[in-house]
């Protein structure tokens, strides 16, 4: 076999491959054997039909096509390995010449991982928010906890802001009551914004037994997005009563004996959260600076795949769970379709560039992933997915995603290594020592690396190129 490589652009090549016919022998034998098992010829036992009879009855062309389909993936892979290429995605294969008994020639165009030159990044400087917890922050945190322990008691007066009302609802569209538009005994806190637009104004001022009708756009159900005439009847009005802020409350709501201890713990937790946010911010800003230093060409096909993946995940997973479609989502976000397209493309470009740059750093720094690091990352991913670690691990193995997780951890380590050499200052001008926040830094780095997972999955299609190349020869 002979092969040559032509560079079409920094991210795409054309392989030209020439195969002597004798190298097709094994595939020809396999083709005759396969056809033997699929056809029946009178006078011959199944599987015992001579090659010459198959050629006469079904044509030599059918045998050659089957043989080439069988052999092509191997020759493509051999050519890729010989040229030491890193293909991305599926090749576009074109058989340029097939002479029976003489030669097979074909070309394969494929995107490749671009060469990335990493410059000196030790001079990167970024600014992050200072970790400051005010008394107001602590007060707000404790107040939120206090809200969770509020009690209610029925009152004989008109409903006011903050009251909890029990409601019966009926929604009509075009004068017809919707099958899923009736609900009884719904508990609602006035002012929470958790139900329909306009419901607060409708129920405020009503006493138990009171009724009102208003028009609102339905957020979900069979008539989502349509304007409905909603009739609401109040069956009970209850006032919310907050517990006193004292030691008794601290003992009720926490493991602490005094309110002072509870407040101190709240301050500590808020500081930890802000330290994590600070570490995440440092990672993101150092990454942005690093990407500015590196020229990274992006394969157009890989980019389109990444954009489509992001759109699919948003529309069919995230928005679907919220009962929204893309149009409604953009309306809520105050964005046009053009702005959404631009933002999605920019995010996809950044994700792909991030993967290429961090993967190159992994190689340069000779970074390895230990079993312990992989297990810790798997635990975090399982927690965020809502699955148990065992369930998540099983899904990862069954779907062949272990290499992707290893890549995420390795890229996280690469980014953490860049941050370690960067100068990070807070808004007060103080140098931030992220060594004191090692766990937060690691999690933040892996989170940043995980953002490139879809691009990594697109690249993983290259592993299946052998199977897909076969399909490209049909016809």
């Amino acid at each position: 076999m002979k092969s040559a490589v032509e560079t079409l652009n920094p991210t795409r090549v054309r392989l030209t491959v020439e195969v002597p016919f004798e190298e097709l022998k094994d595939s020809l034998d396999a083709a005759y054997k396969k056809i033997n098992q699929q056809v029946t010829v009178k006078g011959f036992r199944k599987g015992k039909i001579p090659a010459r009879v198959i050629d006469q009855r079904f044509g030599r062309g059918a045998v050659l096509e089957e043989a080439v389909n069988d052999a092509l993936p191997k020759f493509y892979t051999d050519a890729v390995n010989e040229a030491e290429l890193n293909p991305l995605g599926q090749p576009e294969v074109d058989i340029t010449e097939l002479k029976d008994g003489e030669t097979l020639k074909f070309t394969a165009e494929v995107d490749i991982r671009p060469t990335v030159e990493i410059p000196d990044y030790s001079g990167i400087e970024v600014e992050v928010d200072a970790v400051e917890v005010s008394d107001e922050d602590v007060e707000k945190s404790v107040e939120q906890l206090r809200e969770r322990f509020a009690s209610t008691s029925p009152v004989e007066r008109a409903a006011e802001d903050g009251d909890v009302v029990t409601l019966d609802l009926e929604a009509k569209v075009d004068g017809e009551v919707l099958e899923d538009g009736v609900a009884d005994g719904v508990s609602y806190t006035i002012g929470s914004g958790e139900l329909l637009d306009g419901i607060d104004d409708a129920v405020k001022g009503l006493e138990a037994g009171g009724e009102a009708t208003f028009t609102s756009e339905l957020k979900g159900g069979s008539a989502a997005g349509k304007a409905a005439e909603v009739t609401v009847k109040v069956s009970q009005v209850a006032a919310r009563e907050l517990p006193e802020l004292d030691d008794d409350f601290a003992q009720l709501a926490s493991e602490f004996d005094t309110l002072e201890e509870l407040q101190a713990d709240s301050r500590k937790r808020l500081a930890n959260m802000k330290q994590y946010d600070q570490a995440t911010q440092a990672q993101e800003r150092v990454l942005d600076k690093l990407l500015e230093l590196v020229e990274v060409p992006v394969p157009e096909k890989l980019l389109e795949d990444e954009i489509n993946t992001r759109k699919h995940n948003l529309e069919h997973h995230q928005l679907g769970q919220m009962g929204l479609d893309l149009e409604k989502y953009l309306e809520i976000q105050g964005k046009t379709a053009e702005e959404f397209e631009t933002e999605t493309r920019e995010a996809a470009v950044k994700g792909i560039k991030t993967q290429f740059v961090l993967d190159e750093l992994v190689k340069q720094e000779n970074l390895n992933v230990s079993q312990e690091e992989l297990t810790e990352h798997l635990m975090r991913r399982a927690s965020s997915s809502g699955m148990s670690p065992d369930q998540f691990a099983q899904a990862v193995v069954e779907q062949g995603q272990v290499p992707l997780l290893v890549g995420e951890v390795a890229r996280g380590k690469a980014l953490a290594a860049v941050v370690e050499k960067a100068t990070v200052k807070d808004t007060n001008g103080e140098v931030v020592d992220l060594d004191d926040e090692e766990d937060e830094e690691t999690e933040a780095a892996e989170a940043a690396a995980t953002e490139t997972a879809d691009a990594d999955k697109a690249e993983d299609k290259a592993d299946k190129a052998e199977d897909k190349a076969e399909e490209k020869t049909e016809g």
Side-chain angles (χ1 to χ4, degrees), residues 12 17 24 38 54 72 93 114 124 148 152 165 181-182 212-213 217 316 338 364 389 392 402-403 410 446 462:
R12 193 166 180 83
V17 183
L24 285 172
Q38 294 176 338
I54 290 177
L72 192 61
V93 178
I124 290 178
R148 291 172 54 189
T152 59
V165 288
V182 178
T213 300
E217 182 178 308
H316 298 279
E338 291 74 18
Q364 285 188 14
F392 187 80
V402 173
E446 290 181 9

Side-chain angles (χ1 to χ4, degrees), residues 464-475:
K464 303 174 183 176
E466 293 185 8
D467 295 334
K468 295 299 182 181
E470 178 178 332
E471 299 174 6
K472 297 291 183 178
T473 67
E474 295 181 356

Side-chain angles (χ1 to χ4, degrees), residues 312-331:
H312 178 84
N313 288 341
L314 175 65
E315 292 188 58
H316 298 279
H317 297 293
Q318 300 170 36
L319 297 184
Q321 293 176 355
M322 295 186 288
L324 299 175
D325 58 19
L326 183 59
E327 183 179 354
K328 185 63 177 178
Y329 168 75
L330 294 179
E331 180 184 330

Side-chain angles (χ1 to χ4, degrees), residues 111-235:
D111 287 332
I112 59 170
R113 177 181 287 268
T115 300
V116 178
E117 299 292 338
I118 308 293
D120 179 22
Y121 52 80
S122 60
I124 290 178
E125 295 185 7
V126 297
E127 183 181 73
V128 295
D129 295 336
V131 175
E132 297 175 340
V133 180
S134 66
D135 291 342
E136 289 75 16
D137 292 332
V138 175
E139 182 180 335
K140 181 178 179 182
S141 176
V142 173
E143 189 64 25
Q144 289 173 343
L145 182 61
R146 189 181 175 209
E147 290 278 349
R148 291 172 54 189
F149 284 85
S151 60
T152 59
S153 57
V155 292
E156 295 183 3
R157 59 167 172 76
E160 302 173 354
D161 273 328
D163 285 344
V164 178
V165 288
T166 303
L167 309 173
D168 296 334
L169 298 165
E170 181 184 84
K172 294 181 180 179
V173 173
D174 298 329
E176 296 291 331
V177 177
L178 299 172
E179 288 186 11
D180 55 354
V182 178
D184 295 332
V186 177
S187 180
Y188 175 66
T189 300
I190 300 176
S192 66
E194 295 175 351
L195 278 178
L196 300 168
D197 293 338
I199 194 168
D200 289 337
D201 291 337
V203 298
K204 276 192 295 187
L206 295 181
E207 297 184 15
E211 186 176 303
T213 300
F214 64 101
T215 301
S216 181
E217 182 178 308
L218 298 178
K219 296 180 180 180
S222 61
K226 293 185 178 181
E229 182 183 85
V230 182
T231 299
V232 56
K233 183 176 181 180
V234 178
S235 58

Side-chain angles (χ1 to χ4, degrees), residues 83-95:
E84 296 182 343
L85 300 175
N86 291 310
L88 303 171
Q90 304 169 16
E92 294 181 5
V93 178
D94 182 26
I95 298 175

